[in-house]
Amino acid sequence: MLETILIVAFSGAIVSYILGKVSSRMRNYLSVLVWLSLVGLTSYIYFSTPARKVFYPDFLGFDLALRINYFSWLFAITITVIATLCVVFSFNYIKGRERTDFYYLTILLVNASMLGIVVSGDLLTFYVFWEIMSWSAFLLISYNRGAALAAGLRYIVMSIIGSGAMLVGVTSLYSNFGTLALEELPDQLATSSSLYLLFIFLLFFLAFGIKNAILPFHTWLPPAHSEAPAPFSAILSGMLIKMGTYGIILLFYVISGIKLFLGLSQGVWSFHYILCGLAAVTIVVPTFIAVLQDDAKKLLAWSTIGQAGYIILGISFGTSLSMAGGIFHFFNHAIFKSLLFLAIGAVEYRTSTRDLNSLGGLIKKMPVAFLATLVGIGGLIGIPLTNGFFSKWLIYKSLILDGQPFLAFAALIGTWGAILYSYKLLHNVFLGQLPEKYDGIKKAPLTMQLPLGILSLGVLIFGILPGLPLNPINKITTSLGFDPLNLSIWGTVSDTGTVNTLNIFLAFVVVAGILWYVFRSGAKSPEIAQEDSYAAGAPIPEDKYNYTVDFYNPLERMMKPFLRDLIDDFYSWIVEATNQLSNMIRKTYSGYVGTYVMYIVALLAALILVQLGWKIW
Amino acid sequence: MVMTICGFIFSPLIAIIMGLLMLGVTRKVMARIHWRYGPPLLQPVIDIIKLFYQKAPSHGSLFDFGVILSLTGSIVVLLFLPIGRLAPLSPAGGLLAITYLMLVAPLGIALSGGEGANPNISIGISRKLILSFGYEVSLVLGILAVMTRYGTISIVKVVEVQQTGGWSLFSWPLVVAGIAYLLILPAILGVRPFDVVSAPQEISSGPNVEYGGKYLGLSTISHALSEFISIGLFVNLFLGGWGLWGAISPFQEGGLGVFLGVMIFLAKIFLVYMAGLLISAVLPRLRVDQAVRYLLKWPSFLAFVGLVLAWAL
C-alpha cells in the first residue's frame, strides 16, 4: 500500500509531463486524478496504520523501509489535500504561460517527494526524498525567471548548506551505530553522550531549521515565497516548510525521544528552552517586519515565518498541551496560509499586481476571494470559530500555566502584529474605494473559486469542531510519549481551563440572529454607490479617494529603525566579502609570464630566508 | 441552572442599559464642565430609538453585516465576562477566550467601514489599529501578570481569589501591573486625550462617518458595550469584581446576593468611568504617534516590571 502511494505519485508526475506534450487538457485532468486518488489512498491507509514495509532488505546492514503512523499520516493527508487543491488552482493560473508541462512535472514532483519524506522509515530514504524535494522546489521558485531566479538561488544555497549538514549527521549516525532505521536509532542514541547528542541535534536542526525558516535561517523565505507562482507559494508556505517541522519532531521526539530532548541541558542552559527563545524571536520580529511590507505576497511570506515560530514554540516547549497546540497549528497554518496565498494569487491573476498601495475596493468585484481572505486572516489571527484560535489557545495556556509568561507575551504580541498586517492586507486589497482602472475586473474563474471555498470551509469547520483533527493529534502526542489530553469534539475539558467552541458558535448564531431580526425591523436602507459618500461638502476627487498608501505610517516611522533584517545584511556582507576576496585572488593571475616568474623567485627567496633564519631543514 | 438562564437574559440587558447610561452621563458631565445645561440623561436612548425609524443609506451587504457582527461580538463577550456573579458562558472559555472575543467588535466595525469606501473611515481604522497596538502591549502584560500570579486562566477564579486575598490593585506585586492598566484605560476607552479614532473635528468621526439611521444606532450600542466591557474587565481583574470587603457575604446565597453583586460591580464600573471622564474632560487630543509613544513608554515599562514581579515573587 505504501509503495503504491509513492509509485502513483511519482509516475503521475512523469506521465503527466509526457501527456502534456500531446494535450494540455488531458494533462490537467490526469494530474488532478492522480492526486485525488492519492487523497483517497491516504485516507484509506488510516485504517491500517501503523504499517511498515521493507522495500530493500539489508542495505549496508539495515533495511530500507517505508512506514506510516499517525504522526506521518497527518502530514501525508495534509500534503495530498493541499496538493490537489493547488493543482486545480493552477489550471487557469498557469494557462498560456510557457513551459507548462515542466511546471506540472515539478509541482507534482515536489508533492510526491514530500509524501516520500513523511513515509520514509529510515534516514537514508528520508535524505533521498529530501533532496528531490529541495531541487524541484528550486526549479519551481525560479520558474518566473528574473527576480525569481535570484530568489531561487538564495533558496538553493541555504538549502544545500542544510542538506550538507544533514548528510554529515546521517553519516555520523551510521558510522557510530551501523543503522539508520528510525526504529533502531532511539535505543542507540540513548546510550550516547550528551555532547554527541548535541552535535547530532545541531546538524539536523540546521537542515530542518533552514527549511522551517527559523531565525536566523529565514532569509531565503521572503523572496522565494513572493516570487514563486501563486499555487506553488501556497504549497511552499503550507506544506514545504512544514517538512522542517516534520523533521524537527522526528529528530526530537522520534529519533532521540522526549526524555533525551527535554533533559539535554548544561547548567542553567537547557537546549529546549533556548529553542523556545529562538522561536519567540521568530514570532515577534518577522511579524512586525510583515507589517512594513507593501507586496501582498511578501507580507504573507514574513507572516509565514512568524507563524512557523508558533509551531516551533509549541513543539520545543514540550508539554502535552503545547505539543498538541504546535502540531495542530501546523495543520491549521497549512490550511489558512495556502488559502491566503491562493486568494492573493487569484487577485494577482485578475489584476496582474500584488502591490498593496495600488489595489483597493475589490470586494464588489471578487467576493469569493474576499470571503476567502477574510476567513484566512481570521484563522491567522486566531479569532474564535476559526481554526487558529484553538491551536494558539493551547500554546498560550501551556505557556502561562507552566510559568513562562514572557514566552506567552511574545506569542500574544505576535498575534497583535498579525492583526495589524492582516487587516492591512484585507483592507488594501478588498476594502476602501475601487480605483477606476479595476472597474472591468471579473470574478476569479471557477477552478480558483473551488479551492478557495474548500479551504475556507476547512478553516471554519476545524474552528467550530476542533476535536476532529485534535483526536488524531492526541494519538500522535500520546505515541510520542506525552500524557493524553481530555478532548471532545468541541474542545477541551480540564480544571485549569476549558474551551467549548460549539457553545461560542451557538452564542454567536443566536445573538446574530436576534440582532438581524432587530436590524431588519428598522427602517429600510437603500443601497448607494461608493462615490456617494460624505466628504464634508467637498466634491470627491476621482481616483484619489482611496486611502491605502502608508496605511500604518505613524507606526512604521516609529518601528522602522528597529526592524532591519540584520541577519540578511550579515549574509549579504559575507557574500560581498567573499566576492571581494575572490577578486583579489583573481588579480594575482595577471597573464604575464614575468609576474609568474616573480612569484617563483619570491617563493624561493622566502624559502631561503626561512632556512637562513630558523634552519628548519 | 436558573442562574445561567438569568445570566443569558440579564447580562446583555444590564450592560446595554449601563453602557447607554454612561454615554448619557458623559454628555451631561461634559456639558456641566463646559458651563452648559446639557441634554437629558436618557438622550442616547431617545436617539437610538429615533435612529431606528430613520432611513439611512447602505453601502452593501458587508456594510450591514459588519455592524451586526460588531454588536454580536460585544454581546458574546458579555456572556463570558462576569457581571457580578452572572457569567453564563464562562465555563466555555476563560480570560484568553475573552481577549480574543474582544477583537470581534472592532473587526466588525472595521469590515463594515471598509465597504463604506470613505477615506475618513480608513484613516480612523488605521489609527484604531495603531492605537490598540500601543495599549495592547501593556494590556497583555497586565493580564499575563494576573494570570501568572493566580495561576489560572479562568476569569471567574481570578475574581474569586480576590474575595479572600484582597483586590489585585491593592496587593503587592500586582499593584504595579494595575497602575499600568489604569494608565492605558483612557486609550482603551478611546476618550481624550486618546480620541484619535473618532476625532470628529479631523476625520468626521472616523469609522462612523458613513453611518446613519439604524447603523448609527447599532454602532452606538456597540460602542457603549465596548466601554462597559473594557472597564468591566479591569474591575474583574483588579478591583475584585462583585466583592466589597466581605460586605455581601451574609447574603451570598440566593437571589439577593446575586443582585447586590451586580450592583456593586456596576458601581465600581461607574466610579472608574467617572474618574476617567473627569480627567479626560480637561485634556486636549494627542496625535496618534504621540499617543502610541506615550503608551509604549511608561505604561509598558510599568506593566513589564509588574509581570516580572508577579512572575518572580
Side-chain angles (χ1 to χ4, degrees), chain B residues 85-311:
Chain B
R85 290 214 309 255
L86 298 176
L89 264 185
S90 67
L95 207 37
L96 287 172
I98 291 179
T99 46
Y100 264 102
L101 283 167
M102 278 168 70
L103 296 175
V104 176
L107 181 74
I109 292 289
L111 288 178
S112 160
E115 206 181 14
N118 189 320
N120 287 323
I121 297 176
S122 301
I123 295 170
I125 293 166
S126 136
R127 287 184 178 185
K128 170 71 183 170
L129 285 164
I130 294 171
L131 187 72
S132 25
F133 171 68
Y135 64 69
E136 207 71 25
V137 173
S138 316
L139 184 62
V140 164
L141 285 168
I143 292 178
L144 278 174
V146 172
M147 289 196 279
T148 309
R149 183 68 183 165
Y150 295 140
T152 178
I153 57 168
S154 154
I155 190 166
V156 177
K157 282 209 180 115
V158 168
V159 176
E160 272 168 15
V161 171
Q162 292 179 65
Q163 306 315 318
T164 50
W167 300 358
S168 315
L169 189 61
F170 303 120
S171 69
W172 180 257
L174 283 180
V175 56
V176 186
I179 290 173
Y181 200 136
L182 268 180
L183 289 178
I184 58 167
L185 202 54
I188 302 178
L189 296 177
V191 295
R192 269 184 210 162
F194 299 103
D195 62 340
V196 285
V197 178
S198 56
Q201 301 87 337
E202 288 174 47
I203 51 172
S204 322
S205 310
N208 284 333
V209 59
E210 288 294 314
Y211 290 152
K214 54 187 175 183
Y215 300 93
L216 191 58
L218 289 179
S219 83
T220 309
I221 298 178
S222 180
H223 174 68
L225 286 185
S226 53
E227 303 220 318
F228 181 87
I229 290 166
S230 319
I231 306 177
L233 190 64
F234 176 72
V235 169
N236 275 323
L237 289 182
F238 286 99
L239 288 183
W242 47 267
L244 197 69
W245 300 292
I248 62 163
S249 39
F251 319 102
Q252 193 122 358
E253 299 307 316
L256 187 61
V258 174
F259 176 74
L260 284 178
V262 170
M263 283 302 140
I264 291 171
F265 180 77
L266 293 181
K268 284 178 183 173
I269 286 193
F270 190 74
L271 285 178
V272 174
Y273 186 69
M274 280 307 288
L277 191 63
L278 292 179
I279 296 169
S280 80
V282 293
L283 287 175
R285 183 184 307 136
L286 290 171
R287 284 202 317 264
V288 63
D289 55 330
Q290 291 168 331
V292 176
R293 245 176 251 278
Y294 160 78
L295 290 169
L296 288 179
K297 235 177 246 168
W298 287 108
S300 304
F301 174 72
L302 269 183
F304 187 75
V305 172
L307 178 58
V308 171
L309 290 175
W311 175 67

Side-chain angles (χ1 to χ4, degrees), chain A residues 288 291-292 420 551-561 563, chain B residues 126 129-131 133-134 288-289 292 296:
Chain A
F288 286 100
V291 177
L292 304 179
L420 288 179
F551 195 64
Y552 293 129
N553 187 350
L555 194 64
E556 283 179 15
R557 268 188 317 202
M558 218 176 301
M559 293 195 313
K560 225 167 201 163
L563 286 179
Chain B
S126 136
L129 285 164
I130 294 171
L131 187 72
F133 171 68
V288 63
D289 55 330
V292 176
L296 288 179

Side-chain angles (χ1 to χ4, degrees), chain A residues 78-79 81-83 85-87 89-90 93 103 107 110-111 114 140-141 224-242 297 300-301 304 330 333-346 451-452 455:
Chain A
T78 326
I79 291 168
V81 172
I82 302 263
L85 295 175
C86 289
V87 169
F89 189 91
S90 300
Y93 186 85
Y103 171 84
I107 203 164
V110 165
N111 288 307
M114 288 199 287
L140 266 174
I141 290 170
H225 277 51
S226 49
E227 294 303 334
F232 183 61
S233 300
I235 290 176
L236 198 57
S237 183
M239 274 328 293
L240 197 134
I241 68 157
K242 307 298 167 31
K297 276 171 85 178
L300 287 177
T304 297
F330 133 75
H333 183 255
I335 299 176
F336 65 66
K337 197 46 79 63
S338 340
L339 174 63
L340 285 172
F341 267 114
L342 293 183
I344 293 302
L452 292 183
L455 287 170

Side-chain angles (χ1 to χ4, degrees), chain A residues 173 176-177 179 181-198 200-201 251-252 254-261 263-264:
Chain A
L173 281 177
N176 270 322
F177 305 131
T179 179
L182 291 179
E183 288 80 38
E184 296 165 23
L185 279 173
D187 300 335
Q188 302 278 4
L189 266 178
T191 60
S192 60
S193 73
S194 64
L195 202 65
Y196 181 69
L197 199 64
L198 185 67
I200 290 295
F201 273 10
L251 171 67
F252 291 155
V254 178
I255 296 180
S256 66
I258 172 168
K259 271 200 198 110
L260 281 183
F261 169 56
L264 186 64

Side-chain angles (χ1 to χ4, degrees), chain A residues 364 381-382 396 403 415-416 423 427 432-433 495 498-500 516 519 523-528 533-534 545 551-552, chain B residues 52 54-56 58-59 68 92-93 100 110 114-115 117-119 122 126 129 133 136 153 157 209-210 214-215 311:
Chain A
K364 291 233 165 58
I381 299 170
Y396 297 146
T415 296
W416 257 95
Y423 189 76
H427 174 274
Q433 198 109 11
D495 40 336
T498 305
V499 156
N500 185 333
W516 178 247
F519 181 81
K524 291 281 165 290
S525 40
E527 197 163 326
I528 56 172
S533 61
Y534 176 83
Y545 214 51
F551 195 64
Y552 293 129
Chain B
F52 263 87
Q54 275 182 353
K55 211 164 147 183
S58 159
H59 277 277
I68 294 174
Y100 264 102
E115 206 181 14
N118 189 320
S122 301
S126 136
L129 285 164
F133 171 68
E136 207 71 25
I153 57 168
K157 282 209 180 115
V209 59
E210 288 294 314
K214 54 187 175 183
Y215 300 93
W311 175 67

Side-chain angles (χ1 to χ4, degrees), chain A residues 464-483:
Chain A
I464 295 166
L465 299 173
L468 291 177
L470 267 174
N471 274 322
I473 289 170
N474 202 18
K475 279 184 189 160
I476 295 170
T477 50
T478 348
S479 75
L480 296 177
F482 290 97
D483 299 331

Side-chain angles (χ1 to χ4, degrees), chain A residues 426-454:
Chain A
L426 188 76
H427 174 274
N428 286 12
V429 176
F430 294 103
L431 301 177
Q433 198 109 11
L434 182 75
E436 228 161 69
K437 59 186 163 190
Y438 298 128
D439 256 351
I441 294 287
K442 284 198 292 265
K443 269 190 229 164
L446 191 66
T447 53
M448 293 190 174
Q449 288 185 4
L450 194 70
L452 292 183
I454 292 174

